Amino acid sequence: MSAPDSEADQPSQAGALGLIQQLFANAAIVLAKDLLIEWRTRTRLNALLFFSFATLLLFSFALGPDTKLLERNAGGYLWLAILFSSVLALGESFRVERENASLDGLRLVPTDARAIFLGKALGNGLILILIGLLLIPVMVALYGVTIAMGFGPLVVVLVLGCFAISWPGTVYSAIASNARARDVLLPLLLFPLIVPALLAAVKATSLVLQGDPMLQLRSWLTLLVAFNLIYWALGLALFPQVIEE
Amino acid sequence: MARRIYYLVIAMAVAMLATGAWLALVWAPPDREMGDVQRIMYAHVPSVWMALLAVTLNFGCSIAYLIRSNWKADALAEAAAEVGVLFGAVGVTLGSIWGRPTWGVWWTWDPRLTSAAIMLVSYAGYLALRRFVEDPERRATWSSVAAIIAFVDIPIIWFSVKWWRSLHQVQSSPSTVDPKMTLVLRWNAIAFLLVMIVFIWSRYRIALHQRERELAPPEALAAEPQSRTPAAGALR
Amino acid sequence: MTGHLITLVLAQAGRAVGSGRIVGGWEYVWAAYAITWTALGLYALSLWLRRPGADSKELE
């Protein structure tokens, strides 16, 4: 399966550090490829963004014009919008591969499946972060929130939450894209799994928006970090099983 | 021989379930605070315990399948998950019913009940995944992956929901010390365990049979259908 | 003293103040057990209907 001159045939030279470097290098290649594809077909990305805006808008209409209520729960609405967008974004990340059978092409390259996982999950995470960043001003405008603790902590929560969705989401996306009823299977698998991350992200966001007098932010951030680490590790271990033939 | 043990266990399960019901509904004393509503606990708690056991079995089998690609492990994982969802659904329903007269509402986001409900959806998703993948090997591999991910999430769900709730009011939980109650609970727990063993074993046989049919070469289907096809040897 | 505590706890749950325990509630108990037995029974039935060899018997 590997080309004769591939670096994978020279492990003694590389050593463990070299293998890790190669892993990240390959992941970066996968990431760059995916981001390039997304950029070239950015009409889809635009549609995704407008979908997320529309979701935020819908929450306002569904929950009524009570500004106090909207302001208090803004964190929840933000993360629901990101979550719903993630289903579309994640579902897409393997559809391209499946339609063009390019996953087989990826596999022929002597790239570790783990590198594919890292590249894809990073790409998905970045797209979600982008959506989140663009939603923040919309949220501020629609729900009249102020960011009490500043933009920095908000971005930290955003990054942690988006990757918490992306690690398991990428694994499930690879599975669902090859199964029947793939559109419903991905959210069905993903949503119960990320309830803890969702809870933590929403709580943390609310604290950042409204202030944290009792210093609870740290516990929620710890939960988010733990969740990220656990599912990053699990994804790394299990993803190869998913895409191997 | 296995047949006989099987029927014996069924008989024991039914007997213990029947006597357990009598113990729970008649013999056990009413609770100091909850009165007769306490009796729901004798079915609710064993159900949840069985669900947790089944889900743990599913986790073990999933890991076993990923390591050794053993079809028996896959069949057992499928059986354990289905039975686990059954007992989980019963447990959550009974918990909600218990909550109505005690807390006044059908649902209160109690950490245990909430975690159980999330787990239920999780494993229902696992069963859906199995149903939507047709290739047996892919189905086994992917559902093993999904099962491992779901199981690792269980303690995370538990802690996060607990923290989420602890910022609000504290709910009173039942404290039963009466030895009669402990006996009834243990009896019913064993009864439920026997029932679960029967269910899992039967469901395992069904899954294994289905695997044989899926993996059998096409010629075997032209002949009269039988469970002892030559391809079954491949499953040993 | 515990009586007062129980009263307080139950009062929070919306129960009538002054009663030390929940009275009655048998309909919930029966509902719970009926659901349990029905669920277990229906599942047992489904297992029996799906048993290996059941399909071949239907073909006869």
Side-chain angles (χ1 to χ4, degrees):
Chain A
M1 215 164 112
S2 41
D5 297 280
S6 80
E7 288 158 339
D9 287 343
Q10 302 151 13
S12 48
Q13 274 187 9
L17 191 61
L19 283 174
I20 293 177
Q21 279 176 344
Q22 183 188 330
L23 186 71
F24 281 117
N26 290 333
I29 293 173
V30 173
L31 176 62
K33 169 190 81 73
D34 277 351
L35 289 181
L36 193 61
I37 291 178
E38 280 300 330
W39 179 250
R40 290 217 177 121
T41 57
R42 56 186 175 276
T43 38
R44 214 195 65 87
L45 193 57
N46 291 339
L48 200 55
L49 285 169
F50 278 107
F51 169 76
S52 62
F53 298 158
T55 312
L56 277 191
L57 209 57
L58 276 176
F59 285 132
S60 317
F61 289 127
L63 295 149
D66 179 357
T67 46
K68 276 273 158 251
L69 181 72
L70 289 177
E71 189 195 337
R72 213 161 15 122
N73 296 321
Y77 308 145
L78 174 69
W79 279 103
L80 279 179
I82 294 177
L83 191 58
F84 292 152
S85 307
S86 80
V87 171
L88 298 175
L90 288 167
E92 188 64 16
S93 73
F94 281 95
R95 197 170 302 151
V96 173
E97 313 289 9
R98 201 188 70 253
E99 278 166 6
N100 300 318
S102 49
L103 200 55
D104 294 331
L106 263 180
R107 276 197 288 251
L108 285 174
V109 176
T111 300
D112 207 340
R114 285 183 279 236
I116 300 178
F117 170 68
L118 281 179
K120 287 231 169 257
L122 279 171
N124 288 328
L126 286 174
I127 290 178
L128 290 179
I129 292 173
L130 176 67
I131 293 176
L133 284 173
L134 292 172
L135 281 179
I136 289 175
V138 179
M139 176 185 68
V140 168
L142 274 182
Y143 305 143
V145 298
T146 52
I147 308 176
M149 287 182 68
F151 198 64
L154 189 58
V155 172
V156 169
V157 176
L158 187 64
V159 169
L160 286 175
C162 289
F163 278 110
I165 298 175
S166 180
W167 304 125
T170 302
V171 176
Y172 283 150
S173 172
I175 291 177
S177 65
N178 279 302
R180 284 190 291 135
R182 58 186 70 96
D183 300 320
V184 77
L185 197 56
L186 175 60
L188 177 57
L189 290 174
L190 187 61
F191 286 177
L193 180 80
I194 53 150
V195 163
L198 182 68
L199 286 182
V202 170
K203 274 285 177 215
T205 305
S206 300
L207 290 170
V208 168
L209 292 179
Q210 288 153 15
D212 184 19
M214 289 190 287
L215 301 174
Q216 296 164 341
L217 186 61
R218 170 160 297 176
S219 334
W220 294 112
L221 287 180
T222 311
L223 179 59
L224 270 177
V225 169
F227 194 91
N228 266 281
L229 284 174
I230 292 173
Y231 282 99
W232 170 76
L234 270 183
L236 218 53
L238 294 173
F239 188 81
Q241 301 270 3
V242 172
I243 67 170
E244 255 161 39
E245 276 301 320
Chain B
M1 184 57 191
R3 281 261 122 207
R4 238 178 259 170
I5 296 180
Y6 180 63
Y7 288 132
L8 183 63
V9 176
I10 292 182
M12 279 172 56
V14 172
M16 284 197 77
L17 205 60
T19 42
W22 178 83
L23 285 171
L25 295 170
V26 179
W27 189 75
D31 181 72
R32 239 174 303 131
E33 285 156 32
M34 279 184 284
D36 292 306
V37 172
Q38 158 71 7
R39 300 175 192 277
I40 299 178
M41 284 290 126
Y42 302 123
H44 164 70
V45 175
S47 289
V48 175
W49 284 351
M50 292 311 119
L52 286 172
L53 263 179
V55 152
T56 310
L57 178 62
N58 169 271
F59 178 62
C61 292
S62 298
I63 293 185
Y65 181 82
L66 285 184
I67 294 178
R68 276 147 100 246
S69 293
N70 180 347
W71 286 114
K72 288 187 174 178
D74 177 58
L76 195 53
E78 180 178 325
E82 195 174 284
V83 174
V85 167
L86 172 73
F87 279 104
V90 169
V92 170
T93 309
L94 259 45
S96 172
I97 293 178
W98 179 85
R100 178 71 171 140
T102 29
W103 298 321
V105 288
W106 290 109
W107 193 262
T108 56
W109 303 107
D110 166 65
R112 280 172 296 193
L113 214 51
T114 307
S115 304
I118 298 171
M119 279 158 45
L120 206 54
V121 180
S122 225
Y123 283 94
Y126 169 92
L127 291 177
L129 173 62
R130 291 198 71 103
R131 193 147 295 223
F132 290 142
V133 180
E134 264 133 24
D135 176 58
E137 274 175 35
R138 279 185 167 186
R139 179 202 307 144
T141 306
W142 291 348
S143 52
S144 298
V145 169
I148 291 172
I149 292 178
F151 187 81
V152 170
D153 203 33
I154 292 176
I156 303 177
I157 293 174
W158 170 239
F159 282 118
S160 60
V161 175
K162 211 156 164 230
W163 286 345
W164 184 61
R165 288 292 297 163
S166 68
L167 300 175
H168 303 270
Q169 79 278 9
V170 181
Q171 58 275 326
S172 54
S173 54
S175 53
T176 58
V177 191
D178 190 329
K180 276 190 179 180
M181 290 179 168
T182 326
L183 172 66
V184 176
L185 186 60
R186 292 224 181 105
W187 184 276
N188 274 294
I190 297 177
F192 273 60
L193 180 63
L194 291 177
V195 170
M196 184 176 81
I197 290 175
V198 169
F199 280 175
I200 290 186
W201 179 254
S202 311
R203 186 61 181 83
Y204 165 72
R205 302 287 308 166
I206 294 172
L208 211 53
H209 175 75
Q210 192 191 10
R211 235 37 27 93
E212 288 175 10
R213 289 170 71 189
E214 280 170 341
L215 298 168
E219 301 87 59
L221 292 174
E224 151 188 15
Q226 48 182 346
S227 53
R228 292 190 203 82
T229 62
L235 290 172
R236 300 293 169 252
Chain C
M1 196 46 160
T2 18
H4 291 298
L5 258 159
I6 293 173
T7 309
L8 270 168
V9 164
L10 290 173
Q12 277 175 13
R15 210 122 308 278
V17 178
S19 59
R21 61 156 66 170
I22 297 171
V23 182
W26 273 103
E27 61 270 20
Y28 293 103
V29 179
W30 286 122
Y33 278 84
I35 288 177
T36 308
W37 294 331
T38 311
L40 295 182
L42 283 178
Y43 188 71
L45 181 65
S46 85
L47 286 178
W48 192 76
L49 288 173
R50 288 184 284 173
R51 69 191 184 283
D55 297 336
S56 55
K57 289 198 179 122
E58 275 167 28
L59 287 173
E60 289 166 18

